Amino acid sequence: MKSFRQAVEAGDHAAVEALLAEDVVFTSPVAFRPYPGKAITAAILRGVTRVFTDFRYVREIVGADGRDQALVFTAKVGDREINGCDFLHFDEDGLIDDFTVMVRPLSAAQALSAAMGAQFDRIAAEAAGGDRNSGG
């Protein structure tokens, strides 16, 4: 099985989704409430790939027991440079059960919020079982 980082860097949406636990909770840097569930989390992550350009992980930090991981990234949202971190927790089966994203600076977070807001109807449709394979 690919690691999460390998799957993201390869643009392998199916492998990313396969690494998510059914009860994963996704905490967005731009939404007040977390999103529970594999379908919505996978759809959000596909949406992010349509919004980010020049995405790359620049550092990986792994907890002593291997169940916590922080992946530091850079990307662009429109003309804004964004820095962020994906905080992952893996359950006893090796699946991601908690996924939190933090980003900076504020101007880039605001650009991300607007870009993801524009994607949200499509994200909701994908999560409900619509077109899941139309990455970008």
Side-chain angles (χ1 to χ4, degrees):
M1 176 181 282
K2 285 184 180 177
S3 75
F4 179 80
R5 180 178 180 169
Q6 289 172 322
V8 168
E9 290 175 337
D12 189 342
H13 299 293
V16 168
E17 188 168 352
L19 290 168
L20 300 174
E22 288 298 325
D23 62 349
V24 64
V25 175
F26 180 82
T27 303
S28 164
V30 296
F32 179 71
R33 289 190 174 94
Y35 296 94
K38 183 175 184 171
I40 189 68
T41 299
I44 290 168
L45 295 176
R46 287 190 298 273
V48 168
T49 66
R50 296 187 292 265
V51 168
F52 279 166
T53 58
D54 299 330
F55 178 89
R56 70 186 201 286
Y57 284 118
V58 296
R59 189 176 349 157
E60 184 172 336
I61 304 163
V62 179
D65 66 359
R67 291 182 63 183
D68 289 291
Q69 187 175 48
L71 296 167
V72 180
F73 64 85
T74 63
K76 288 183 88 174
V77 179
D79 64 348
R80 300 283 181 186
E81 298 276 338
I82 195 165
N83 304 101
C85 191
D86 293 336
F87 294 96
L88 310 176
H89 181 268
F90 295 84
D91 67 14
E92 58 278 349
D93 296 322
L95 299 176
I96 299 166
D97 62 359
D98 188 69
F99 193 130
T100 299
V101 180
M102 293 188 180
V103 297
R104 66 160 305 279
L106 178 59
S107 61
Q110 290 167 330
L112 177 61
S113 179
M116 289 301 289
Q119 292 275 325
F120 217 81
D121 286 344
R122 180 175 178 181
I123 290 168
E126 288 180 16
D131 183 10
R132 304 181 111 187
N133 297 315
S134 61

